[in-house]
Amino acid sequence: MKKLLAAICSLAVLACGALAFAGCAGDGKQDLEYVKDKGTLVVGCTEFQPITYLEGGEWKGFDVEFARAVGEKLGVEVEFQIIKWSNKVFELNSKNIDCIWNGMTITEELQEQTEVSSPYMRNQQVAVIRVEDKDKYTDQDSIKDQKIVAENGSAGAGFGEELSDQFVAIDTQVQVFTELENKSADIGILDSVLAKYYLATPAYEGKYVLVDMGFPTEEYGIAFRKDSNLCEAVNEALAEMFADGSMQEIASAYGLESELIEIK
């Protein structure tokens, strides 16, 4: 009898747990309604200029202003959450964030795992090297099996892994400059959007050079949970912003207008 009661109690506990889980995960809400109900759109990001960065404790950058403008159209506040880039899809599916919006290169893998928005900006992976090595590292053949670094989980990391057994994944794209400064790396692979911006600043100008290694052109997009209806709503907002010129206005403030992709 005791064994029977114990079994019944165990089943009851399991049933309650299943119902609780169903209440959390199976409430029937789509992402758009979920975001509007809580009143916030949580954006997963890393820091790099001129896309998403903190200055004096305030978030700034093209994607920051862009996301906030879209948030206004959706009627929600936008919050920015720093994430580890290699964990971005896990953070998204765990609902720690609502989207990945941070100069994110659209890849086939991400399109399989997430719902990706219309592309809004062009980019390319490039190499950054110390100026004294400008005649040494000129193409992909010259950097094979050299000390290469790139952000873990980034498009640059994919190229680095293919090119060199000495490739090392690092935490952020900006860390490339630290690795080059310390001579713990000879080549850093990172976004051209970021590289061009940093190499024009006094801290880096004249110390490093950008080298086009012939990597293919990429496109930036925004990732949402698979089959999320929030993606469609954001796409509509992007098209409206391109049509009324507000996207171009934000981009021009960061010198990125020529990189924009027309959204219809």
Side-chain angles (χ1 to χ4, degrees):
M1 183 67 177
K2 288 181 180 179
K3 288 183 179 180
L4 179 60
L5 286 172
I8 292 171
C9 287
S10 295
L11 288 170
V13 169
L14 288 170
C16 289
L19 287 171
F21 179 80
C24 293
D27 56 8
K29 288 184 179 179
Q30 291 287 327
D31 272 354
L32 179 59
E33 290 72 28
Y34 166 71
V35 165
K36 285 189 171 184
D37 281 353
K38 65 189 179 79
T40 57
L41 175 72
V42 182
V43 172
C45 64
T46 61
E47 286 188 72
F48 72 96
Q49 297 176 323
I51 300 298
T52 312
Y53 59 98
L54 281 166
E55 188 176 277
E58 293 185 10
W59 283 104
K60 295 186 177 181
F62 172 76
D63 272 2
V64 171
E65 293 192 37
F66 190 18
R68 284 175 175 158
V70 170
E72 285 183 18
K73 287 183 174 291
L74 297 179
V76 298
E77 294 291 323
V78 177
E79 298 178 358
F80 297 91
Q81 173 83 38
I82 295 176
I83 59 172
K84 192 172 182 179
W85 198 242
S86 56
N87 291 343
K88 56 187 176 292
V89 175
F90 173 80
E91 296 283 355
L92 182 63
N93 290 333
S94 299
K95 286 197 170 182
N96 294 328
I97 58 175
D98 298 313
C99 63
I100 307 162
W101 195 336
N102 183 224
M104 184 199 77
T105 299
I106 299 173
T107 64
E108 287 185 11
E109 183 180 12
L110 277 170
Q111 288 176 316
E112 290 172 0
Q113 296 177 335
T114 67
E115 204 69 26
V116 180
S117 74
S118 302
Y120 63 88
M121 185 173 286
R122 296 178 189 85
N123 180 56
Q124 184 183 26
Q125 296 302 306
V126 295
V128 171
I129 60 174
R130 291 181 289 273
V131 69
E132 58 265 30
D133 292 330
K134 64 180 181 180
D135 296 325
K136 185 177 180 181
Y137 303 122
T138 57
D139 54 25
Q140 290 186 39
D141 285 338
S142 65
I143 66 173
K144 282 183 179 177
D145 300 321
Q146 301 301 312
K147 291 186 287 185
I148 301 175
V149 293
E151 182 182 42
N152 193 12
S154 70
F159 292 123
E161 289 170 350
E162 289 177 10
L163 287 166
S164 178
D165 291 336
Q166 295 193 70
F167 169 75
V168 175
I170 54 178
D171 291 335
T172 66
Q173 292 202 73
V174 180
Q175 192 183 332
V176 161
F177 297 103
T178 304
E179 301 295 328
L180 291 172
E181 177 74 25
N182 295 338
K183 296 195 173 179
S184 50
D186 297 312
I187 302 102
I189 302 178
L190 65 168
D191 289 12
S192 61
V193 167
L194 179 152
K196 289 175 184 176
Y197 182 90
Y198 276 86
L199 293 184
T201 63
Y204 301 108
E205 190 176 15
K207 293 176 66 176
Y208 307 103
V209 294
L210 181 156
V211 182
D212 184 347
M213 292 288 172
F215 297 130
T217 302
E218 305 167 347
E219 296 176 335
Y220 284 167
I222 310 153
F224 304 87
R225 285 177 278 276
K226 196 67 178 174
D227 300 321
S228 170
N229 65 342
L230 181 57
C231 184
E232 182 180 356
V234 169
N235 276 340
E236 290 176 2
L238 302 190
E240 289 173 9
M241 289 183 64
F242 197 94
D244 66 20
S246 54
M247 186 187 299
Q248 294 89 321
E249 185 177 347
I250 296 170
S252 65
Y254 295 94
L256 296 171
E257 191 170 1
S258 63
E259 318 295 334
L260 289 181
I261 296 171
E262 183 179 3
I263 302 172
K264 298 179 179 179

